């Protein structure tokens, strides 16, 4: 495989803001004006105490610099999801369709060095492509390293000052993650990769795993998404955690009929959090193979869709909690757990708060795994899919309340006008609707087409997760109100899949799962929609071109962890153009609906900051999106600045040369990936 590194000398002064870098302890936020990890700290708080940018000057922000990523690969990237790091005045990020690593002067955006890997067919066949979510940083106070995972699933260690590979790490700077994984993996076509960043705690690098989307898996057998810890200096494997337990390991008996032996997936594709003081790593685990049919994996299937705490030095399980039994809804735990020290009934508790696609925030004692408030097992509906195994109950938190819509009823349908409501009610007659955990249905042209579920696989919270204010013990999370049409059809061709049922709609030929970031497919047939990976997910359920469910379509919720209560909730994002300009709504005054999408939030000393997802037309006629700021205590909007494209990565902030910067990755819909840095005008 070819590799290249390029170092560019730069004469501008780079101010060192830290005498020594020590990883931030849990819930402390980003330290010393820097941003050392993807989540701001190992607790994934996405918090910084900086306050130069505040309510009375946010509208004055101007663009300090911009970094375009077009030239980093043969084709542009329209899904730029990175959160950069800033250390010692240098900004580090992945960027471009081949996942290059770049180092920029954080004051000017000028490139200092770049590194890239050309993985040929291994990269072309990777299940998770494009630039991913960023890099990790490590230092012992003398040496500094940048670590990242390539699309082809190789862990690379670079010299932070030059971008050159660390020759003493692995094999000439590379650890091949498809090897030494307690299973045989095809080096070119093996279905395993990663979008998220590695996590470095003390001297351990922790790496998860991701796979193709699983609505139409090629086989009930697949690569298993084990998690490993490596020595940050040498690349030596220190431990492995089997997310599908082997015989003799805890949880193996939850896989009936020896389904543990062939079932795959169950990876950790979201970000990982660490409490260095407790020596615990917190793994948010996805579901096993396949997303909507589990007849080949009977049983609850640990550790699918579980939070698992493992020892930082050994990888041994300390505790776990399964959030979904025998998942059939693609409710992977998609994001980093937030670690927070909170006060419950006058007692300090080391807590873990997990945002989810279910729109529940599950809160645990992170030392023991005990729920802070009761989580009760409640009966859930059983489906009609032949050969499926159904869990009779699912866990429901009693606190905090759900932060977004759950389930589909007639009351949740669009209701701008009586006519629109009546049309929506008629539309859903061909579908099965019901509460959260309504199972998929066998799709029949002359019967039920599918189950309509909400939040759906992209609804609720997703991979950006939430942020946390350690001063007020408040979690802020963006979520979107979304539906999924979950129909299953008998597999029409054994060459497509060896599973009995795959996701699909009667009369529509199913397509196999495709890599995240692959070139887009041709437009689907009229009335049919695709998910972000290109899979057909069923008829496009809209009413006069409007979303089936009531707004808000996107919202930010503030949740106090001491009380388990919602403090405020606001619609985030301007009303979409297709809603504002809908002939069906002519003459009506529609309050701001918020915008659907997948975005992250940043919390500072006084503000909650988030950009909008998707393009809209501003009052001046410009096409773009806004970066908005809210008073973190009340949710009142206090400012907004224009961006030429929507937020696609999560915002971060840092202080350099006496000025606070906010940087966000933007891209989408033919607008190539770009970093935009904002700051206040010079005094």
């Amino acid at each position: 495989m070819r590799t290249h590194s390029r170092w560019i000398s730069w004469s501008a002064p780079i101010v060192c803001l830290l005498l020594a870098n020590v990883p931030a302890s849990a819930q402390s936020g980003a330290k010393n004006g820097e941003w050392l990890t993807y989540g701001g700290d190992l607790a994934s708080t996405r918090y910084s105490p900086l306050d130069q940018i505040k309510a009375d000057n946010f509208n004055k922000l101007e663009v300090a610099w911009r970094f375009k990523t077009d030239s980093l690969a043969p084709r542009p990237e329209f899904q730029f999801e990175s959160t950069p790091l800033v250390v010692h005045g240098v900004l580090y990020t992945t960027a471009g369709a081949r996942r290059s690593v770049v180092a920029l002067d954080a004051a000017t955006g000028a490139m200092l060095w770049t590194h890239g890997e050309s993985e040929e067919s291994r990269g072309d066949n990777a299940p998770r492509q494009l630039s991913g979510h960023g890099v990790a940083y490590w230092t012992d106070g003398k040496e500094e390293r940048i670590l990242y995972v390539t699309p082809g699933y190789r862990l690379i260690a670079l010299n932070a000052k030059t971008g050159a590979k660390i020759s003493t790490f692995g094999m000439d700077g590379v650890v091949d993650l498809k090897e030494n994984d307690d299973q045989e993996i095809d080096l070119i076509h093996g279905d395993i990769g990663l979008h998220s960043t590695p996590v470095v705690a003390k001297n351990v690098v922790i790496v998860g795993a991701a796979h193709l989307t699983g609505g139409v898996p090629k086989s009930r057998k697949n690569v298993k998404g084990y998690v490993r810890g490596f020595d940050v200096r040498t690349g030596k494997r220190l431990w492995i955690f089997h997310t599908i337990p082997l015989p003799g390991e805890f949880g193996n008996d939850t896989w009936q009929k020896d389904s543990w032996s062939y079932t795959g997936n169950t990876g950790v594709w979201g970000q990982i959090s660490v409490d260095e003081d407790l020596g615990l790593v917190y793994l948010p685990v996805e579901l096993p193979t396949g997303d909507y049919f589990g007849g080949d994996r009977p049983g609850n299937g640990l550790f699918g869709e579980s939070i698992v705490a493992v020892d930082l030095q050994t990888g041994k399980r300390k505790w776990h909690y399964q959030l979904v039994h025998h998942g059939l809804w693609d409710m992977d735990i998609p994001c980093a757990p937030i670690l927070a020290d909170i006060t419950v009934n006058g007692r300090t508790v080391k807590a873990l708060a997990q945002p989810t696609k279910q729109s529940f925030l599950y809160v645990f004692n992170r030392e023991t795994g005990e729920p802070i408030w009761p989580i009760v097992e409640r009966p859930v509906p059983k489906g009609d899919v032949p050969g499926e195994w159904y869990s009779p109950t699912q866990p429901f938190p009693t606190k905090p309340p759900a932060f977004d819509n759950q389930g589909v009823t007639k009351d949740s349908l669009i209701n701008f006008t009586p006519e629109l409501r009546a049309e929506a009610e008629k539309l859903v007659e061909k579908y099965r609707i019901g509460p959260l955990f309504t199972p998929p249905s066998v799709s029949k042209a002359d019967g039920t087409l599918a189950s309509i579920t909400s939040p759906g696989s992209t609804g609720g919270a997703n991979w950006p997760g939430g942020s946390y204010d350690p001063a007020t013990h408040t979690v802020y999370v963006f979520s979107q109100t979304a539906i999924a049409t979950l129909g299953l059809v008998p597999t029409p061709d054994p060459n497509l899949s060896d599973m009995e049922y795959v996701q699909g709609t009667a009369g529509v030929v199913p397509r196999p799962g495709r890599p995240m970031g692959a070139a887009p497919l041709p437009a689907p047939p009229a009335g049919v929609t695709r998910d972000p990976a290109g899979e057909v997910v069923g008829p496009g359920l809209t009413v006069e071109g409007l979303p089936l469910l009531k707004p808000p379509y996107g919202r930010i919720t503030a949740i106090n962890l001491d009380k388990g209560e919602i403090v405020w909730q606001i619609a985030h994002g301007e009303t979409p153009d297709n809603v504002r300009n809908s002939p069906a709504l002519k003459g009506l005054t529609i309050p701001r609906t918020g915008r659907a999408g997948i975005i992250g939030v940043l919390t500072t000393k006084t503000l909650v900051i988030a950009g909008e997802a998707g393009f809209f037309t501003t009052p001046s006629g410009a096409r773009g999106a806004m970066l908005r700021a809210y008073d973190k205590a009340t949710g009142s909007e206090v400012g907004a600045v224009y961006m030429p494209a929507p937020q696609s990565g999560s915002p971060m902030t840092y202080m350099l040369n006496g000025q606070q910067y906010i940087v966000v990755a933007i891209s989408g819909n033919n607008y190539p990936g770009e970093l935009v840095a904002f700051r206040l005008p010079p005094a």
Side-chain angles (χ1 to χ4, degrees):
M1 299 190 180
R2 297 191 302 273
T3 178
H4 65 272
S5 294
R6 185 155 55 100
W7 178 77
I8 303 171
S9 62
W10 187 248
S11 58
I14 297 175
V15 177
C16 174
L17 295 179
L18 287 183
L19 295 177
N21 284 300
V22 178
S25 59
Q27 80 280 331
S28 60
K31 292 287 192 179
N32 300 299
E34 301 197 312
W35 195 271
L36 298 180
T37 72
Y38 175 87
D41 58 11
L42 292 175
S44 301
T45 63
R46 305 200 68 83
Y47 171 80
S48 172
L50 298 179
D51 64 349
Q52 185 182 87
I53 297 171
K54 48 193 174 183
D56 62 3
N57 61 24
F58 193 89
N59 282 334
K60 298 177 182 178
L61 288 177
E62 61 183 24
V63 174
W65 54 261
R66 299 165 71 167
F67 178 75
K68 295 181 178 293
T69 66
D70 307 36
S71 62
L72 294 172
R75 63 183 176 97
E77 177 183 31
F78 303 111
Q79 192 176 334
F80 186 25
E81 297 178 345
S82 177
T83 295
L85 310 186
V86 170
V87 189
H88 296 169
V90 180
L91 181 145
Y92 302 97
T93 186
T94 50
R98 290 198 306 189
R99 199 173 300 177
S100 298
V101 179
V102 296
L104 309 178
D105 182 329
T108 66
M111 185 182 290
L112 303 176
W113 57 256
T114 180
H115 172 89
E117 297 283 323
S118 180
E119 298 184 299
E120 287 97 20
S121 58
R122 178 163 172 166
D124 294 341
N125 286 284
R128 301 295 167 120
Q129 299 180 9
L130 302 181
S131 61
H133 297 164
V135 302
Y137 170 82
W138 170 85
T139 184
D140 59 2
K142 299 177 182 178
E143 183 185 359
E144 298 175 272
R145 294 184 180 183
I146 297 297
L147 300 106
Y148 79 109
V149 176
T150 68
Y153 206 46
R154 298 155 68 235
L155 176 63
I156 312 287
L158 305 174
N159 182 307
K161 296 185 184 300
T162 67
K165 288 182 182 177
I166 304 293
S167 61
T168 55
F169 182 87
M171 186 69 68
D172 193 26
V174 179
V175 171
D176 191 330
L177 295 171
K178 289 187 177 180
E179 296 180 343
N180 198 18
D181 195 37
D182 291 5
Q183 59 185 319
E184 292 295 325
I185 302 176
D186 186 303
L187 296 182
I188 303 300
H189 299 96
D191 178 22
I192 191 165
L194 193 64
H195 254 145
S196 295
T197 75
V199 176
V200 183
K202 296 188 175 176
N203 291 324
V204 182
V205 186
I206 305 144
V207 179
H211 308 269
L212 291 171
T213 55
V216 188
K218 185 170 181 59
S219 177
R220 63 195 178 109
K221 303 175 182 179
N222 200 19
V223 180
K224 302 174 192 295
Y226 296 149
V227 180
R228 283 165 289 173
F230 299 90
D231 186 291
V232 72
R233 296 181 185 275
T234 66
K236 177 184 177 182
R237 191 184 99 174
L238 300 176
W239 53 260
I240 186 167
F241 179 75
H242 300 127
T243 52
I244 297 178
L246 302 179
E249 294 182 338
F250 184 94
N252 178 265
D253 59 348
T254 64
W255 296 82
Q256 298 179 13
K257 298 182 178 179
D258 290 332
S259 54
W260 66 269
S261 64
Y262 54 79
T263 303
N265 298 76
T266 319
V268 176
W269 61 261
Q271 292 295 143
I272 293 168
S273 302
V274 182
D275 186 327
E276 288 188 313
D277 295 334
L278 294 177
L280 293 179
V281 179
Y282 300 96
L283 309 177
V285 186
E286 65 160 356
L287 85 168
T289 317
D291 286 356
Y292 309 111
F293 178 71
D296 295 306
R297 49 174 173 87
N300 281 343
L302 290 176
F303 293 96
E305 291 172 301
S306 302
I307 299 170
V308 185
V310 302
D311 185 274
L312 172 61
Q313 300 297 336
T314 67
K316 299 296 184 184
R317 183 191 70 91
K318 295 298 183 180
W319 61 262
H320 78 278
Y321 203 99
Q322 190 173 52
L323 306 187
V324 181
H325 308 316
H326 189 79
L328 301 172
W329 302 269
D330 192 16
M331 289 179 179
D332 302 335
I333 304 179
C335 57
I338 298 169
L339 311 185
D341 288 359
I342 63 177
T343 305
V344 181
N345 298 325
R347 183 172 61 92
T348 299
V349 178
K350 292 182 180 295
L352 176 153
Q354 179 66 66
T356 62
K357 293 183 181 182
Q358 296 93 288
S359 297
F360 278 133
L361 185 72
Y362 297 79
V363 188
F364 302 93
N365 181 313
R366 70 176 182 272
E367 293 183 277
T368 66
E370 291 296 318
I372 299 298
W373 298 283
I375 297 178
V376 297
E377 292 284 338
R378 293 177 180 164
V380 293
K382 184 177 179 179
D384 62 356
V385 180
E388 184 59 270
W389 189 97
Y390 294 98
S391 174
T393 64
Q394 294 291 348
F396 286 78
T398 56
K399 293 177 76 172
F403 53 78
D404 209 305
N405 179 73
Q406 291 180 326
V408 179
T409 67
K410 289 186 177 180
D411 286 342
S412 62
L413 300 177
I414 185 173
N415 67 344
F416 290 128
T417 67
E419 292 79 11
L420 290 171
R421 167 57 66 84
E423 188 173 341
E425 290 182 359
K426 183 176 181 180
L427 179 63
V428 301
E429 287 178 356
K430 288 285 288 180
Y431 296 87
R432 180 182 188 180
I433 63 174
L436 184 69
F437 297 116
T438 295
S441 299
V442 176
S443 182
K444 298 179 180 179
D446 58 351
T448 300
L449 278 178
S451 297
I452 306 175
T453 64
S454 179
S457 61
T458 60
N462 214 288
W463 58 262
S467 64
Y468 174 71
D469 178 12
T472 62
H473 297 181
T474 302
V475 164
Y476 302 93
V477 61
F478 172 84
S479 60
Q480 65 172 335
T481 300
I483 62 169
T485 52
L486 300 187
L488 292 174
V489 295
T491 302
D493 181 350
N495 293 318
L496 175 69
S497 175
D498 65 14
M499 299 184 79
E500 189 173 355
Y501 285 88
V502 294
Q503 182 187 15
T505 303
V508 179
V509 178
R511 287 181 179 267
R514 303 181 70 250
M516 290 286 188
L521 288 168
V528 172
T529 59
R530 298 191 194 279
D531 70 8
E535 290 186 8
V536 170
V537 295
L541 297 183
T542 61
V543 180
E544 302 290 334
L546 300 170
L548 179 66
L549 300 186
K550 295 186 293 189
Y553 309 128
R555 63 188 91 189
I556 295 175
T557 305
I559 303 171
N560 180 269
L561 290 188
D562 292 344
K563 299 179 180 179
E565 297 174 352
I566 291 177
V567 179
W568 53 258
Q569 186 174 81
I570 53 99
H572 173 64
E574 191 51 76
T575 302
D577 287 353
N578 71 305
V579 176
R580 288 192 300 177
N581 302 327
S582 171
L585 302 180
K586 189 174 182 180
L588 297 180
T589 300
I590 306 297
R592 181 182 288 180
T593 64
R595 302 182 64 82
I598 297 177
I599 62 168
V601 299
L602 165 69
T603 301
T604 66
K605 188 173 183 179
T606 59
L607 303 177
V608 174
I609 300 167
E612 293 175 316
F615 291 88
F616 82 105
T617 305
T618 67
S620 66
R623 181 174 179 266
M626 305 299 287
L627 180 69
R628 299 187 185 275
Y630 304 93
D631 183 299
K632 74 179 186 182
T634 66
S636 299
E637 184 172 324
V638 296
V641 291
Y642 170 78
M643 303 184 298
Q647 175 178 310
S648 50
S650 296
M652 53 81 72
T653 188
Y654 57 95
M655 183 75 80
L656 185 61
N657 299 333
Q659 287 193 296
Q660 183 183 355
Y661 294 74
I662 296 172
V663 174
V664 61
I666 64 173
S667 63
N669 194 17
N670 294 322
Y671 192 100
E674 181 179 25
L675 285 180
V676 180
F678 294 95
R679 69 181 176 196
L680 295 170

